[in-house]
Amino acid sequence: MRPEGLYTALVTPFDGNGAIDTEALTRHVSQLGDKGVRGFFACGTTGDGAFLTSDEKERVFAAVLEEVPQDAEVVGAVIAPDTRSAVRDVHRLAEHGLAYVAVVSPYYGAVGEQELIDHYLSVADAATCPVLAYDIPGCTHNPLMDAVYDAVLKHPNIVGVKDSSGDFSAFSRRLLQESGTRTTSWIQGDDSLDASALLVGASGIVSGLSNILPEPFVEMLRAHRANDSHTMLAMQRVINTLHGIVRITGRATDAVRLALSLQGLGSRHGTSVHRGLGSEWDKPVSAAVTAATEQMHAFRTQ
């Protein structure tokens, strides 16, 4: 089993008191499922996974797994600063029946090449479900380089890479090196690169912006399966308009959460770290979402 297609990087909604709003979460998952989403990525960067307790993460996974369509896959992110904590979290998540776990590199302290290799091999040995290596150096400051990939992707339980580095040159080079002999699923995690990644052979995308407007992402994957590059690029233009909420605020997770709250789902508030955007951002965020929605409608009615 290999991951492919669209995975929405779920926002974890909170109420005004800082508690996880499970009612809003399950309603959100249900709505995404109704719009064609069949992949769900929980407790990742967009889901504030680095700031949730183990018990809170388990509540999120339980709520998501209870609500997803029967043919859906759920990926659980493991965001831990060291190998011991990552192995512990992987063991706890095994009880939930996740399709995959996506594991970041250790963070806070600098980690050497061999330590990164040992980290992933230890987690892969401990995991009872397939593992994705999750590269997000903007947060971990410990990027996964070629030598690390060469070593860890030989492990039979590491089946893919979720690349949120934003380095499309490295992503496409590594992906194309496997052309014709590929056993690894290369998953793009930057919404501004979705169409480009799929066109060079990526297996799928993990999208934070699809929380807000899943339609262009679902349509892009449909077009990809049909070898319809024209429609894929049209959907990327819609996504680029929606991406404006990230560019103007500089705070991706808070911008997605605000957009959802303006749609009536959850509050604008996040964790004690991500407190949310103020009301001065309501109009510009709403304007970008409206513009993307109108572009999507124009495409469908042309």
Side-chain angles (χ1 to χ4, degrees), residues 92-177:
R92 293 187 70 167
L93 294 185
E95 302 172 3
H96 292 280
L98 298 167
Y100 308 95
V101 291
V103 182
V104 303
S105 64
Y107 57 88
Y108 190 79
V111 177
E113 184 179 284
Q114 188 57 52
E115 291 166 308
L116 285 171
I117 293 170
D118 292 343
H119 172 74
Y120 279 100
L121 296 182
S122 296
V123 171
D125 285 341
T128 56
C129 66
V131 175
L132 307 180
Y134 181 178
D135 188 27
I136 183 163
C139 294
T140 66
H141 304 288
N142 287 310
L144 304 186
M145 307 302 286
D146 288 350
V148 175
Y149 283 126
D150 289 343
V152 305
L153 293 180
K154 295 175 182 176
H155 194 292
N157 203 31
I158 299 180
V159 299
V161 174
K162 192 258 189 180
D163 187 298
S164 295
S165 68
D167 185 347
F168 186 72
S169 175
F171 175 82
S172 59
R173 174 174 53 79
R174 291 166 183 152
L175 186 159
L176 292 170
Q177 280 175 348

Side-chain angles (χ1 to χ4, degrees), residues 21-274:
D21 188 341
T22 53
E23 186 279 329
L25 177 59
T26 55
R27 180 158 47 93
H28 183 42
V29 168
S30 177
Q31 291 171 352
L32 289 171
D34 289 344
K35 293 178 180 179
V37 176
R38 288 298 181 269
F40 299 84
F41 192 93
C43 294
T45 306
T46 306
D48 285 305
F51 311 114
L52 302 178
T53 67
S54 294
D55 288 342
E56 286 175 326
K57 292 176 187 177
E58 292 199 46
R59 287 179 59 202
V60 170
F61 292 129
V64 172
L65 284 159
E66 182 178 348
E67 194 64 35
V68 294
Q70 288 187 344
D71 59 343
E73 291 182 338
V74 179
V75 182
V78 174
I79 302 178
D82 65 286
T83 303
R84 182 177 62 177
S85 299
V87 168
R88 178 202 63 209
D89 286 352
V90 163
H91 280 150
R92 293 187 70 167
L93 294 185
E95 302 172 3
H96 292 280
L98 298 167
Y100 308 95
V101 291
V103 182
V104 303
S105 64
Y107 57 88
Y108 190 79
V111 177
E113 184 179 284
Q114 188 57 52
E115 291 166 308
L116 285 171
I117 293 170
D118 292 343
H119 172 74
Y120 279 100
L121 296 182
S122 296
V123 171
D125 285 341
T128 56
C129 66
V131 175
L132 307 180
Y134 181 178
D135 188 27
I136 183 163
C139 294
T140 66
H141 304 288
N142 287 310
L144 304 186
M145 307 302 286
D146 288 350
V148 175
Y149 283 126
D150 289 343
V152 305
L153 293 180
K154 295 175 182 176
H155 194 292
N157 203 31
I158 299 180
V159 299
V161 174
K162 192 258 189 180
D163 187 298
S164 295
S165 68
D167 185 347
F168 186 72
S169 175
F171 175 82
S172 59
R173 174 174 53 79
R174 291 166 183 152
L175 186 159
L176 292 170
Q177 280 175 348
E178 293 188 13
S179 180
T181 60
R182 187 173 343 148
T183 58
T184 304
S185 290
W186 290 86
I187 308 292
Q188 179 55 242
D190 184 334
D191 276 325
S192 66
L193 300 174
D194 288 340
S196 299
L198 291 169
L199 286 169
V200 298
S203 301
I205 58 177
V206 173
S207 164
L209 292 175
S210 62
N211 281 281
I212 306 165
L213 188 68
E215 289 87 348
F217 300 90
V218 172
E219 183 64 23
M220 179 184 286
L221 267 297
R222 184 209 60 77
H224 176 54
R225 291 189 293 271
N227 294 316
D228 179 359
S229 60
H230 175 77
T231 295
M232 291 175 67
L233 295 176
M235 294 303 96
Q236 187 64 60
R237 286 190 284 274
V238 177
I239 293 166
N240 290 347
T241 299
L242 187 60
H243 195 270
I245 69 170
V246 178
R247 296 192 299 273
I248 61 177
T249 64
R251 292 163 62 178
T253 297
D254 284 336
V256 173
R257 181 177 286 113
L258 173 58
L260 288 175
S261 74
L262 294 173
Q263 294 176 353
L265 191 119
S267 76
R268 70 178 65 224
H269 305 290
T271 63
S272 58
V273 176
H274 290 152

